[in-house]
Amino acid sequence: MTRTITPRLRPLVLLLLAVTAVLFAGAAPASAHAALTGSDPAQGVVVDKAPTQVSLTFSEQVAMGDDSLRVLDPQGKPVQRGKPANVSGTTYAVQLKSGLAKGTYTVTYQVVSADSHPVAGAYTFSIGAPSQTVVSDTATVGGGVVGTLYAIGRYVSYAGYIVLVGGAAFVLACWRRGAGVRALQRLVVGGWVALTGATLWLLLLRGAYTTSGKLGDAFDLALLGQVLQTKSGAALVSRLLLLAAAALFVAVLFGAYAKGDEGEESATGAEDTAGGENTAGGENTAGEQNAAGAANAAAEDAEEKRDLGFGLAIGGVVVAAGLAASWAMAEHASTGLQPVVAIPVDIVHLLAVAAWLGGLTALLVALYRAPADTPLEASAVRRFSRLAFGSVLALVATGVYQSWRQLGSWSAFTETRYGQLLLVKIGLVAVMVALAGISRRWTGRLAEHPATEAEGETAEAEGEPEAEEASVPAAAAAVQNKDATEGTASTTAGAERAAQLARQRSAVEDARRKRLRDADPNRSGLRRSVLAEAAVAVVLLAVTTALTQTEPGRTEQEAKAAGGAASSSSASDSSGALTLDMAFDTGGTNGKGLVRIDLDPARVGGNEMHVYVQHPDGRPFDVPEVKIALTQEAKKIGPLPVKAEHITRGHWGATGVQIPVAGDWKVAVTVRTSDIDQATVSKNAQIG
């Protein structure tokens, strides 16, 4: 059987390896899911005097270590004091040493976003005047060999979860007799082993993945201890604990539950045998008692199996949901908009994926590897079809919500990498649904024309199985006659020959059943369509894994709208006008946005100021209140309030804004988005 099946499954395995290699080998370092939206001092700016601190503002809260934010002088020596601290909302700062010399300084940051992905970068600013610097490279996290290995571990963990949960669901909900099929047992156990091994692998790699990027640090126990204190580390540990419960579930499913099915069949056989004896013997009281006992045993076994199946179903759903939560509570769903809703939606999404794709894998194995004496029934395929249909409906509902949450606008489908990957995923799902429709038609034909109905006709047409089967008793009769004539065979030798003949009969019967099953055109068509579905599912899983490592479109567009800290926080055109962009987050619902200050001509004396408030996607944001104040700390001037009049939606203006002296002015803007939610952001700019 192995020689016949392996060539058919080989293309699927090769496709899996090829897709994995293309996605992982050609992938850049994992995109940052927390975008840097502001800094002070900003990139490229030249300040007159040394700042007392450097602050960075991100699009969401991040996790920082002792060395996550460093400032290096032109010779590459660190000049920061103490540890970085969260000063307000999503802004983090580190204090600088006093008496810094003139020259170009490099700011490097290396943090972990709220959805567990590493973020790293660097920029420069100058004190007095730009200078040469020896800092040419900074550590890159999320990429390189460690990044590739981590991505492979994520793929294997998702695949293991899908096979484990989906395979078990297929056995319990669609084909209970499959609990005794070795091929399905190996499939589900293989899923558990893959998920467990990948989880341990990710736990070891996590420290190197988010810090140094060096493979050798995977075995640093101190770094592992730090990982265990993070949200991602806790999620991986909880996954391992749940996998211990999953091991018990698998043991019962393929142990007591499978034996219960065998016991039920044995009891039914005993009942039939006893009934036959009673019929032959007429008034056979013992036969009647045996039949009654067998019937009672069968009923008790059936009831026990139903109870055990119900308990396995409840426990399996709890364990599967817990495993899904280990992803949902540490990744995309745990941060951003509506995490209270997003986390359970993500759990349902993962469960639906496992039921569909994992069940499809189990169906494929059952179609190709089920033994001849335990063929996959059409009724089991129909039950899986209903399960898959419900899973697809759940995927559509949860997928629509996740797409809205992660993209935020239609333009993000084409303008961001996340949106482009999501379009590919939607296309693959559509292809799988079309293939599932073809499989459904083959299932209907298989139910209308089962192979068992044509078994006798096919056997008579071929002639070979019956001839082979008849040859075995003939040979047995010849051997028995010879033994009787010669009288030299011992009782032991006769028993051995009888056992050998029984095995030969069984092998011939299995071969005949397999030929009949494989000759059924409806079953062959179903095999081909399910194999095509599985091939698309392999690619779909790879794209889904890539999505989990890609910056959501909403975050990417927010970073672009905020102008990014990689560009200068202020710009002057040829007429002397000044523009300041500042991202804000009041912490409430719809509390994020961008405020833009235009000051013209940005000189001593009277100036005209325009204030624009925008949503992260660039739409005008008509907030209840905007306050502006100017301060020159060096000469202790201010804060000077600027009274701006509301002009139109998201636009305020003021004329005659007086700048008394030239110098480095701090422009502070307070934005209020509700009765209680407000935030103050500021930038320094040279005016005059």
Side-chain angles (χ1 to χ4, degrees):
M1 183 180 296
T2 303
R3 288 193 298 271
T4 303
I5 295 169
T6 301
R8 299 186 181 185
L9 294 181
R10 187 178 294 116
L12 183 62
V13 176
L14 293 177
L15 178 62
L16 169 63
L17 296 177
V19 170
T20 303
V22 170
L23 285 177
F24 293 149
S31 300
H33 295 191
L36 184 67
T37 58
S39 65
D40 188 15
Q43 177 182 354
V45 71
V46 180
V47 296
D48 292 334
K49 65 175 184 177
T52 59
Q53 69 175 20
V54 169
S55 63
L56 303 179
T57 301
F58 295 91
S59 59
E60 62 184 39
Q61 289 190 338
V62 297
M64 282 199 170
D66 295 348
D67 296 326
S68 293
L69 179 53
R70 299 193 304 156
V71 183
L72 308 176
D73 67 10
Q75 287 73 42
K77 298 179 180 179
V79 295
Q80 75 274 5
R81 293 189 296 110
K83 303 176 183 178
N86 181 218
V87 293
S88 65
T90 58
T91 300
Y92 302 80
V94 65
Q95 299 298 315
L96 301 181
K97 297 178 181 178
S98 58
L100 297 182
K102 294 182 178 181
T104 298
Y105 290 75
T106 303
V107 179
T108 69
Y109 57 92
Q110 187 171 297
V111 300
V112 179
S113 63
D115 58 2
S116 79
H117 295 277
V119 184
Y123 72 93
T124 62
F125 71 93
S126 301
I127 299 176
S131 69
Q132 296 293 326
T133 176
V134 300
V135 181
S136 59
D137 192 16
T138 56
T140 301
V141 297
V145 175
V146 171
T148 300
L149 292 175
Y150 196 85
I152 293 174
R154 289 173 63 85
Y155 182 92
V156 174
S157 65
Y158 279 121
Y161 173 79
I162 286 173
V163 170
L164 170 63
V165 174
F170 179 81
V171 171
L172 280 174
C174 305
W175 193 35
R176 288 180 295 179
R177 292 182 66 193
V181 175
R182 286 294 181 88
L184 282 179
Q185 293 176 359
R186 287 194 292 267
L187 176 72
V188 175
V189 172
W192 183 90
V193 171
L195 179 54
T196 303
T199 302
L200 289 170
W201 181 239
L202 292 175
L203 191 61
L204 288 175
L205 283 178
R206 182 68 190 174
Y209 176 67
T210 58
T211 55
S212 65
K214 299 177 181 178
L215 185 58
D217 287 343
F219 305 99
D220 187 339
L221 295 181
L223 198 56
L224 178 61
Q226 295 177 14
V227 169
L228 295 177
Q229 299 177 19
T230 65
K231 180 172 67 174
S232 299
L236 291 171
V237 171
S238 65
R239 190 180 303 166
L240 288 174
L241 295 176
L242 286 167
L243 281 169
L248 178 61
F249 169 86
V250 171
V252 175
L253 176 64
F254 297 133
Y257 188 75
K259 290 179 180 178
D261 189 53
E262 296 174 0
E264 183 178 345
E265 293 180 356
S266 300
T268 304
E271 180 181 355
D272 294 339
T273 302
E277 292 175 353
N278 184 40
T279 302
E283 298 179 0
N284 191 339
T285 306
E288 294 177 356
Q289 293 176 350
N290 290 336
N296 292 334
E300 292 177 0
D301 289 343
E303 185 176 358
E304 289 179 1
K305 183 165 184 176
R306 282 195 299 270
D307 293 341
L308 182 58
F310 179 77
L312 284 173
I314 297 298
V317 169
V318 172
V319 174
L323 289 171
S326 68
W327 277 286
M329 298 185 70
E331 297 188 354
H332 284 168
S334 64
T335 184
L337 295 175
Q338 303 174 348
V340 176
V341 177
I343 288 176
V345 167
D346 199 47
I347 292 174
V348 173
H349 191 82
L350 284 172
L351 289 174
V353 169
W356 184 23
L357 301 188
L360 183 68
T361 305
L363 174 62
L364 183 66
V365 170
L367 284 171
Y368 279 99
R369 301 298 300 270
D373 59 349
T374 314
L376 180 68
E377 304 93 350
S379 58
V381 183
R382 287 197 300 271
R383 283 191 288 269
F384 172 71
S385 181
R386 291 192 291 269
L387 175 65
F389 181 73
S391 300
V392 170
L393 292 181
L395 283 173
V396 171
T398 56
V400 168
Y401 172 78
Q402 288 178 329
S403 299
W404 166 81
R405 184 175 178 272
Q406 301 293 358
L407 292 177
S409 65
W410 291 107
S411 62
F413 272 108
T414 56
E415 295 177 359
T416 66
R417 174 174 166 77
Y418 187 94
Q420 294 163 0
L421 283 173
L422 187 57
L423 287 175
V424 174
K425 179 180 178 180
I426 292 173
L428 291 172
V429 170
V431 171
M432 284 198 65
V433 171
L435 291 172
I438 298 175
S439 299
R440 192 179 184 90
R441 287 198 294 272
W442 282 118
T443 303
R445 295 175 184 176
L446 185 65
E448 293 174 1
H449 306 286
T452 54
E453 293 180 1
E455 182 175 338
E457 298 177 3
T458 306
E460 292 175 1
E462 292 182 355
E464 297 178 0
E466 292 183 355
E468 292 176 1
E469 187 175 1
S471 64
V472 175
V479 172
Q480 290 173 359
N481 291 335
K482 183 178 180 181
D483 290 344
T485 302
E486 296 178 357
T488 57
S490 65
T491 304
T492 304
E496 292 179 354
R497 281 193 292 273
Q500 181 180 7
L501 291 173
R503 289 193 295 268
Q504 291 176 352
R505 293 191 188 97
S506 177
V508 169
E509 178 64 17
D510 288 345
R512 186 178 69 85
R513 290 179 179 177
K514 184 177 184 300
R515 279 195 297 270
L516 288 173
R517 185 188 66 185
D518 294 344
D520 183 6
N522 297 320
R523 185 175 294 271
S524 298
L526 179 61
R527 281 180 172 183
R528 290 192 297 270
S529 62
V530 171
L531 182 61
E533 285 186 73
V536 178
V538 170
V539 183
L540 177 62
L541 180 59
V543 173
T544 302
T545 304
L547 269 174
T548 64
Q549 299 182 166
T550 303
E551 180 179 1
R554 182 188 293 270
T555 304
E556 183 177 338
Q557 289 193 326
E558 286 178 357
K560 290 179 180 178
S567 61
S568 175
S569 65
S570 63
S572 298
D573 59 25
S574 58
S575 63
L578 175 72
T579 299
L580 299 174
D581 286 344
M582 292 170 276
F584 66 85
D585 183 2
T586 62
T589 304
N590 295 326
K592 291 184 178 181
L594 173 74
V595 59
R596 171 169 293 173
I597 303 291
D598 287 340
L599 188 65
D600 190 13
R603 295 175 183 171
V604 174
N607 292 263
E608 182 176 350
M609 178 181 289
H610 290 272
V611 182
Y612 301 93
V613 183
Q614 302 173 350
H615 286 283
D617 59 3
R619 293 180 294 109
F621 194 172
D622 217 13
V623 298
E625 185 179 24
V626 174
K627 294 181 181 179
I628 307 101
L630 305 176
T631 306
Q632 192 182 72
E633 296 177 348
K635 297 184 179 181
K636 298 182 180 180
I637 300 175
L640 305 177
V642 177
K643 186 176 181 180
E645 300 290 339
H646 187 265
I647 298 176
T648 185
R649 183 176 179 82
H651 181 194
W652 288 259
T655 58
V657 179
Q658 293 295 322
I659 305 297
V661 295
D664 184 17
W665 284 84
K666 177 182 178 182
V667 182
V669 183
T670 300
V671 181
R672 182 168 61 84
T673 57
S674 70
D675 292 339
I676 59 174
D677 298 317
Q678 71 176 34
T680 300
V681 292
S682 63
K683 292 290 183 184
N684 282 26
Q686 291 290 330
I687 301 178

